[in-house]
């Protein structure tokens, strides 16, 4: 008898792998460029006039965290995380996490 793996199962497995990867990185404190990354994030927070909580969310986005992971980390609801991300996007003038990180890390010019 052959086991069937559906898309939802694969998605859940990949989410769990990402969660475990993040845990391992946290435990090992693996981030070779953390000081460089902090400088970019600090500058972005200032340039975009981010609140302290929005800055916390930006750091977690830069760390590759999902909305659920951010929610668990800062102990707020997922809808609150989404609202913070919406506010960050508006302040930065972007429409996606990719655009945001490209802008933060100097790979894109700010939109006018």
């Amino acid at each position: 008898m052959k086991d069937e793996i559906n898309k939802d199962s694969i998605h859940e497995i990949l989410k769990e792998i990402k969660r475990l990867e993040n845990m391992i990185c946290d435990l090992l404190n693996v981030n070779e460029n953390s000081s460089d990354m902090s400088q970019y994030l600090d500058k972005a927070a200032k340039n975009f006039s981010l609140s302290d909580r929005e800055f916390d969310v930006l750091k977690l986005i830069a760390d590759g965290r999902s909305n659920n992971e951010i929610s668990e980390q800062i102990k707020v609801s997922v809808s609150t995380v989404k609202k913070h991300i919406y506010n960050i996007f508006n302040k930065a003038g972007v429409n996606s996490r990719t655009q945001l990180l490209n802008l933060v890390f100097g790979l894109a010019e700010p939109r006018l």
Side-chain angles (χ1 to χ4, degrees):
M1 193 174 205
K2 189 175 180 180
D3 289 77
E4 286 189 32
I5 299 178
N6 61 32
K7 288 181 182 181
D8 290 335
S9 299
I10 293 170
H11 181 70
E12 289 302 315
I13 291 167
L14 292 174
K15 277 177 45 179
E16 183 64 13
I17 290 169
K18 179 64 177 169
R19 187 185 71 75
L20 292 171
E21 177 187 336
N22 288 334
M23 274 180 44
I24 291 167
C25 287
D26 287 345
L27 289 171
L28 297 176
N29 198 18
V30 175
N31 195 344
E32 298 157 359
N33 300 316
S34 64
S35 64
D36 291 340
M37 190 163 145
S38 292
Q39 290 175 0
Y40 284 109
L41 294 172
D42 290 340
K43 184 177 178 183
K46 187 175 182 180
N47 289 345
F48 305 147
S49 301
L50 300 183
S51 69
D52 290 342
R53 185 54 94 183
E54 289 166 348
F55 182 54
D56 293 339
V57 171
L58 174 62
K59 289 187 286 189
L60 293 167
I61 290 171
D63 194 38
R65 304 299 173 105
S66 69
N67 290 354
N68 287 334
E69 291 169 325
I70 294 170
S71 170
E72 291 171 10
Q73 181 82 28
I74 64 174
K75 303 195 182 343
V76 298
S77 70
V78 173
S79 62
T80 299
V81 169
K82 288 179 181 180
K83 182 63 176 172
H84 288 310
I85 293 171
Y86 174 83
N87 291 338
I88 294 167
F89 284 5
N90 280 337
K91 290 178 179 184
V94 298
N95 297 313
S96 72
R97 289 174 188 238
T98 302
Q99 289 176 343
L100 175 65
L101 295 178
N102 282 338
L103 183 59
V104 166
F105 294 111
L107 301 174
E109 294 296 318
R111 289 182 173 184
L112 300 175

